Structures are given as C-alpha cells and as structure tokens.
Amino acid sequence: VQLQASGGGLVQAGGSLRLSCVASGSIGVINSMGWYRQAPGKERDLVASIDSGGRANYVDSVKGRFTISRDNAKNTVYLQMTSLKPEDTAVYYCSADLYTADWIRAPYVWGQGTLVTVSS
C-alpha cells in the first residue's frame, strides 16, 4: 500500500493551495485519513483528519482556513488551504489508517510529503 501526495508549491501569503493524496495498492478499507506537517526544526504535527463517515477535525491554527475532504471511491484525501500564512510553511504528509485486502491492520501508512512554502 502506498500514499502519493501532490499539490505543494510556493504561494504568497493570503493565497490558496489544494493538496491531494491517493492511496493505492492492496487496500481493503480505509478508516481515517489525515494531513500532518513538519516545519524545519520542529516535530511533525497533525493538521486535520477525517474519518470514514466524513467527520473532520482540525488543529486550532487552521480552523476556518483549511478544509479536509475525501473521495472514498478514489481512495483520495484532499486538503484545501486558503488564507495561507508564512507560518503554514512546512512539508505536508498524508497518512491513513487502513486494512489491507488481506485484513491486516496498517494504522500508520505515510505518504512521501509535499513542500508548501508561503512567502510574506
């Protein structure tokens, strides 16, 4: 099972970006999916998560600016980011908690990361 993230880039403060992450491979069921970020010299922190029913959670710093969504038919999770700030600059990683087609639990599957840079 692999996660492939895309959509990062350079944007000015106040701008928008949309990140995508596709899960592929021998997937049975995907429970929750999420986005984390890691700024230089800092730990990787949760930004937003969404469960199989579409219920979303956000870290306080992105509430009202970021929206997480998922397309279960495409095994894809999105992160729409608006009103971006320089402090949003980080490598963004997607993750999934899933069962493989052989019903093996894989609670921490990670994508490769995509860099988001917000200039002031």
Side-chain angles (χ1 to χ4, degrees):
V1 176
Q2 297 182 23
L3 299 182
Q4 180 70 42
S6 62
L10 173 64
V11 64
Q12 289 188 330
S16 299
L17 281 175
R18 188 192 195 207
L19 306 183
S20 300
C21 176
V22 181
S24 62
S26 185
I27 298 169
V29 174
I30 300 177
N31 296 322
S32 63
M33 303 185 81
W35 289 95
Y36 290 71
R37 65 186 178 187
Q38 187 168 18
K42 296 188 177 181
E43 295 183 351
R44 188 178 301 186
D45 293 321
L46 177 66
V47 176
S49 64
I50 186 167
D51 66 16
S52 58
R55 288 174 290 270
N57 288 290
Y58 301 91
V59 66
D60 286 346
S61 60
V62 308
K63 285 180 179 177
R65 299 189 298 122
F66 292 9
T67 302
I68 189 171
S69 61
R70 61 190 283 178
D71 185 331
N72 292 330
K74 296 181 179 179
N75 290 335
T76 300
V77 63
Y78 306 96
L79 187 67
Q80 179 68 50
M81 305 184 293
T82 63
S83 302
L84 282 161
K85 305 175 181 180
E87 52 263 43
D88 295 317
T89 295
V91 177
Y92 284 71
Y93 298 89
C94 58
S95 71
D97 173 6
L98 57 84
Y99 285 92
T100 69
D102 297 328
W103 292 106
I104 297 172
R105 178 82 182 275
Y108 300 107
V109 181
W110 293 95
Q112 85 286 7
T114 184
L115 177 62
V116 172
T117 303
V118 184
S119 63
S120 58

